[in-house]
Amino acid sequence: MTDDKAKVSNSRRTLLKAGAAAGGGLLFGFTLFGCDRKQGEEAGRKQKPSETAVGQAATNATGEAPGLAHDAFIRIDRDGIVTLIIHKVEMGQGTFTSMPMLLAEELGADLSKVKLEQAPADNSLYADPLLGGQVTGGSTSVRGAYVPLRTAGAMVRTVLVQAAAQNWNVKPEELTVVAGTVRHAGSNRSANFGELVDAASKLNFPKTVKLKDNADFALVGKSTKRLDSPAKTNGSALFGIDAKLPNMGIAAVAASPVMGGKLAAVDEQKAMAVKGVRQVLRLDGAVAVVADNFWAAKQGLAAAAPRFDDGANANLTLAGIVADMDKASQTSGAVATNKGDALKTLAAQDNGRRIDAVYELPFLAHATMEPMNCTVDLRQDGCDLWVGTQVPALAQGAAAKLTGLPVEKVKVHNFYLGGGFGRRLEVDYVIQAVQFAKLAKGPLKVIWTREEDIQHDMYRPYYYDRLSAKLDNKGMPTAWFHRVTGSSIMARFAPPMVKNGVDPDAVEAAADIPYTIPDMRVEYVRHEPPGLATAFWRGVGPTHNVFVVESFMDELAYAAKADPVAFRRSMLQKSPRTLAVLNLAAEKAGWGKPLKPIAGRKVGRGVSCQFAFGSYMAQVAEVSVGADGEVQLHRVVCAVDCGQNINPDTIVAQMEGGIVFGASAALWDQVTVDKGRVQQNNFNDYRVMRINEAPVIEVHIVNSHDDPGGIGEPGTAGSAPAIANAVFAATGKRIRKLPIGDQLKKA
């Protein structure tokens, strides 16, 4: 990485005098500019991260000018504690360790003395350069902060060294910085950061700094214990649901089970008879029972027995939704990719072999461990929100709009997130909580039950995909056609992101596959299902398209009578990093060697490749299928090239978590609808893989010094196709529809 890519805001370069920081010390502002960098050899791809739309929505919600005017602050106190006001949230992805590592690396700080403060909601200060708003999502946190945080650390280190040099009347280049202490070997003098901040506050920052060579990293690239682990293991960590206020009421909520339905009747008298119940609050489509505690609120809600008029979606069924999508998928779509003349090649009457297939992916819920909740203290002169959200400024803007308060009068207290997966990119639950708070007497905490959460989620869209390909007489693809049909999240969130009818999220990892095929055409047909709201889900566009592309690629390999790995290798000459992870995963998995037989079960091995979120990844899955059609996932070998490793432990953890998340969905999960109602409601019928069901996962990280790629989502996207291809290898049954569920039982 060259230091000329790093830019520091002149307007924020001024050091504030000691005493401006709480308790005295040094304050430092820096910009997050200079981060929208190329990501690997496929950096020329057209799509920006999907959550760019979320950032735009957040800036629109607060009325602040969208763009990349970002500043955050570092504070060094006189006791030597370095505080980073962090603009990202921690939802299990390790950001609260990786980002301070970047700062400490160049600052020369003792990582144990780097503390974090959650940034307040403020798009004008804390917007992400990759996303365009104050958003955590899209596996962008480290990618966006890699250069700015290091540059900030180097800037601060420089002035601390200058301060020490002046104090000791020596040359700065004679000094070293280790673990928060500046040392001069010649005179055996040393001073910790806290002792130097007063002198440093009188100096100006250098215009440029030289960042470390990757080979000189002392922290970055080394496995580091998570800084948030102690609090999460001793119970002191606070999540949104932990918020407590004096005289706070706690509400249990029931919204119409059918989207668009209206509240018809509530037995308020019975609800109020429950001990501890304080109020019954009504909205058009929902009711909340407020009590002293959540148990009383639930009992009161049950006693209230709310009844709803279902409205226009009363007869909605999943079968009807899919039938409509099938019909829509037979129409021409907006063109996302057009290279050569795929349609002509496919239609040609030649010796080539044409293969056609239809793939379907279900609606999916997020099922976060911490259900949706929000605590609101609404007053005439202001509003405070206590919540865990990936979009604090969006929540702030929504509350301001509902209450009529100026944005600056709405304060968001953001907490650890008990799972995000894209669910907390939405603020529907915040809006509902504020609406109820307007009717409540005093502060109010609104908690959705697990059932309320799953049945009123904003779901990963259902996708209906048509694919065709032509193989020449050597078995190589000469044409590829892929038409994606599904809901447009971008059109709802940020219409300007949809250009010429193409939703970039819906076609990500389909419009720009790493394989070289002469003629390619990818289309998108927008089709909005009635009665369900759709939203981003972990892995966003790639989690849908990688399954479809890699499954169909496996079909082509089978048709060509080629080994699936060798078949892919033959088309990856222009993507050497994808080829490298494919080769690594295949080698580590023992590809080509027979699997150990399992009595009474068929065994198989499957592969998938992808480039997404700036990272390259291949997975090899090993499964067995019993006579009853049950699939067991035994082993997953994952090779990932995510550029410069920051914290290898986090990379492994994210791969493991992403693979389990994706495998759960691939094997079991779907959201179905009957009579307008979502039929799943808890983990008994929306399964999450249990410990005893989890496979052995081996993660092999490519040693790279390229710019960091994302790690939070690729594992999920690559899981389903590797499993489905392994099922085919074991049984000869091609999985074209997820989840696998009981499809093999019917075979």
Side-chain angles (χ1 to χ4, degrees):
M1 178 56 55
T2 55
D3 56 354
D4 59 352
K5 292 181 179 179
K7 303 174 183 177
V8 175
S9 168
N10 288 326
S11 62
R12 296 278 177 178
R13 197 176 292 147
T14 304
L15 283 172
L16 303 184
K17 291 183 179 179
L26 179 68
L27 281 172
F28 174 58
F30 65 94
T31 178
L32 295 179
F33 274 133
C35 308
D36 196 7
R37 309 182 309 280
K38 295 176 67 176
Q39 293 277 348
E41 69 254 26
E42 286 97 344
R45 64 186 186 138
K46 299 175 182 177
Q47 286 77 27
K48 284 192 172 185
S50 304
E51 286 75 9
T52 301
V54 183
Q56 292 181 350
T59 54
N60 292 340
T62 59
E64 296 161 308
L68 297 176
H70 318 286
D71 291 280
F73 291 95
I74 298 167
R75 181 175 65 241
I76 302 179
D77 296 332
R78 289 186 178 125
D79 57 5
I81 298 297
V82 179
T83 300
L84 171 64
I85 292 81
I86 193 163
H87 64 299
K88 295 292 184 176
V89 297
E90 177 61 65
M91 46 190 169
Q93 80 277 37
T95 297
F96 275 22
T97 303
S98 298
M99 296 183 73
M101 285 176 67
L102 294 175
L103 174 67
E105 177 68 65
E106 299 283 353
L107 178 57
D110 179 348
L111 185 61
S112 68
K113 293 188 176 180
V114 178
K115 307 299 181 186
L116 299 180
E117 285 184 10
Q118 186 74 66
D122 192 333
N123 263 322
S124 65
L125 289 178
Y126 298 108
D128 182 285
L130 291 178
L131 301 177
Q134 191 178 5
V135 179
T136 304
S139 296
T140 57
S141 295
V142 166
R143 283 190 284 163
Y146 182 61
V147 170
L149 278 178
R150 292 175 57 206
T151 303
M155 289 280 184
V156 177
R157 184 195 69 238
T158 299
V159 295
L160 289 168
V161 167
Q162 288 176 340
Q166 288 183 7
N167 287 350
W168 301 333
N169 195 27
V170 299
K171 296 179 179 178
E173 53 268 29
E174 296 175 6
L175 304 181
T176 58
V177 182
V178 178
T181 300
V182 181
R183 303 178 189 276
H184 183 247
S187 60
N188 198 30
R189 282 179 291 194
S190 66
N192 65 43
F193 286 173
E195 296 173 292
L196 296 170
V197 293
D198 288 343
S201 66
K202 300 170 184 173
L203 302 176
N204 292 321
F205 280 99
K207 292 182 178 179
T208 60
V209 289
K210 178 176 173 54
L211 301 182
K212 284 185 177 180
D213 291 335
N214 302 66
D216 297 328
F217 285 155
L219 276 173
V220 170
K222 308 291 191 301
S223 289
T224 302
K225 292 182 179 178
R226 291 274 296 264
L227 300 182
D228 53 330
S229 291
K232 288 180 175 175
T233 51
N234 66 24
S236 63
L238 294 178
F239 296 78
I241 205 166
D242 295 320
K244 293 180 180 177
L245 299 173
N247 196 37
M248 177 180 70
I250 299 179
V253 171
S256 170
V258 180
M259 187 174 178
K262 303 295 183 184
L263 181 64
V266 174
D267 195 332
E268 183 169 345
Q269 188 173 7
K270 286 187 177 179
M272 294 299 294
V274 175
K275 184 179 180 181
V277 170
R278 301 179 185 179
Q279 282 181 280
V280 176
L281 309 177
R282 296 174 176 83
L283 299 176
D284 271 358
V287 59
V289 173
V290 182
D292 297 337
N293 55 69
F294 191 61
W295 176 250
K298 278 192 65 178
Q299 298 303 305
L301 186 62
R307 296 170 293 283
F308 296 88
D309 291 331
D310 292 343
N313 294 314
N315 296 316
L316 187 68
T317 65
L318 180 62
I321 292 172
V322 175
D324 289 344
M325 295 189 75
D326 180 6
K327 186 177 180 181
S329 74
Q330 298 178 47
T331 62
S332 297
V335 179
T337 298
N338 195 29
K339 184 178 69 172
D341 196 337
L343 296 179
K344 182 179 179 181
T345 303
L346 287 167
Q349 299 297 316
D350 53 22
N351 293 327
R353 180 179 177 186
R354 174 169 172 157
I355 297 98
D356 301 287
V358 172
Y359 281 80
E360 295 179 58
L361 291 94
F363 293 111
L364 289 172
H366 298 82
T368 59
M369 186 61 71
E370 178 195 9
M372 298 302 101
N373 66 86
C374 181
T375 299
V376 185
D377 182 15
L378 177 60
R379 310 169 304 279
Q380 286 188 339
D381 61 348
C383 179
D384 283 52
L385 306 177
W386 289 263
V387 66
T389 174
Q390 295 172 248
V391 284
L394 189 59
Q396 180 191 40
K401 184 176 181 181
L402 284 167
T403 60
L405 291 166
V407 169
E408 60 271 19
K409 294 293 185 182
V410 177
K411 186 175 182 180
V412 178
H413 307 265
N414 210 356
F415 287 77
Y416 283 127
L417 278 60
F421 318 131
R423 180 62 182 95
R424 289 181 165 90
L425 288 169
E426 305 291 341
V427 295
D428 55 313
Y429 61 103
V430 176
I431 290 172
Q432 187 198 68
V434 174
Q435 289 174 326
F436 279 128
K438 292 173 70 175
L439 305 174
K441 301 171 183 175
L444 179 69
K445 177 191 287 187
V446 174
I447 302 174
W448 291 11
T449 61
R450 177 79 57 205
E451 291 80 2
E452 186 74 7
D453 191 354
I454 288 182
Q455 296 194 324
H456 297 86
D457 200 349
M458 300 181 74
Y459 304 98
R460 200 281 301 273
Y462 198 107
Y463 288 106
Y464 199 99
D465 290 33
R466 292 184 176 276
L467 294 101
S468 300
K470 178 73 76 73
L471 300 179
D472 63 17
N473 56 13
K474 295 181 180 178
M476 294 305 298
T478 57
W480 174 281
F481 175 80
H482 184 181
R483 180 180 293 150
V484 177
T485 300
S487 172
S488 173
I489 301 170
M490 293 295 191
R492 172 177 65 85
F493 231 115
M497 291 295 293
V498 180
K499 293 184 171 56
N500 299 319
V502 176
D503 179 322
D505 172 65
V507 299
E508 186 175 4
D512 50 359
I513 63 176
Y515 304 105
T516 299
I517 299 175
D519 296 341
M520 288 195 64
R521 184 179 177 90
V522 179
E523 297 182 359
Y524 171 62
V525 175
R526 181 185 176 188
H527 180 78
E528 299 295 337
L532 292 174
T534 59
F536 299 113
W537 190 81
R538 186 176 187 178
V540 287
T543 200
H544 145 231
N545 287 314
V546 172
F547 168 71
V548 174
V549 169
E550 288 299 301
S551 296
F552 193 54
M553 194 60 68
D554 228 57
E555 291 204 49
L556 300 188
Y558 181 76
K561 299 180 180 178
D563 173 82
V565 170
F567 187 72
R568 286 172 170 81
R569 284 175 179 150
S570 67
M571 292 178 284
L572 288 173
Q573 296 87 352
K574 293 185 179 180
S575 184
R577 293 173 74 180
T578 308
L579 178 61
V581 292
L582 172 63
N583 287 336
L584 180 59
E587 175 198 344
K588 297 297 183 182
W591 187 269
K593 298 178 182 177
L595 287 167
K596 184 179 180 180
I598 300 175
R601 303 184 69 85
K602 298 176 180 178
V603 296
R605 188 185 276 135
V607 66
S608 72
C609 294
Q610 68 183 73
F611 170 68
F613 310 102
S615 294
Y616 305 80
M617 194 182 69
Q619 290 186 29
V620 175
E622 296 175 1
V623 306
S624 70
V625 182
D628 59 355
E630 180 199 18
V631 177
Q632 290 185 11
L633 178 60
H634 297 281
R635 181 187 181 212
V636 177
V637 178
C638 172
V640 58
D641 176 356
C642 56
Q644 174 64 55
N645 307 328
I646 308 303
N647 186 355
D649 270 2
T650 296
I651 296 171
V652 171
Q654 284 296 288
M655 291 302 118
E656 291 173 340
I659 288 167
V660 168
F661 196 86
S664 299
L667 293 171
W668 305 306
D669 291 336
Q670 61 179 326
V671 169
T672 58
V673 182
D674 188 42
K675 297 180 181 178
R677 291 162 166 79
V678 170
Q679 294 178 290
Q680 292 70 31
N681 63 64
N682 209 321
F683 289 136
N684 62 305
D685 52 15
Y686 196 87
R687 291 177 62 179
V688 175
M689 186 172 279
R690 295 174 173 83
I691 291 175
N692 67 311
E693 298 168 320
V696 173
I697 299 176
E698 302 168 20
V699 179
H700 302 277
I701 304 171
V702 174
N703 186 24
S704 170
H705 293 320
D706 286 296
D707 288 347
I711 59 168
E713 319 209 41
T716 298
S719 185
I723 294 170
N725 292 337
V727 167
F728 178 78
T731 66
K733 168 70 175 178
R734 180 63 64 188
I735 301 296
R736 295 196 181 101
K737 181 178 180 180
L738 291 179
I740 296 172
D742 58 0
Q743 292 184 59
L744 298 172
K745 297 177 182 177
K746 296 176 180 176

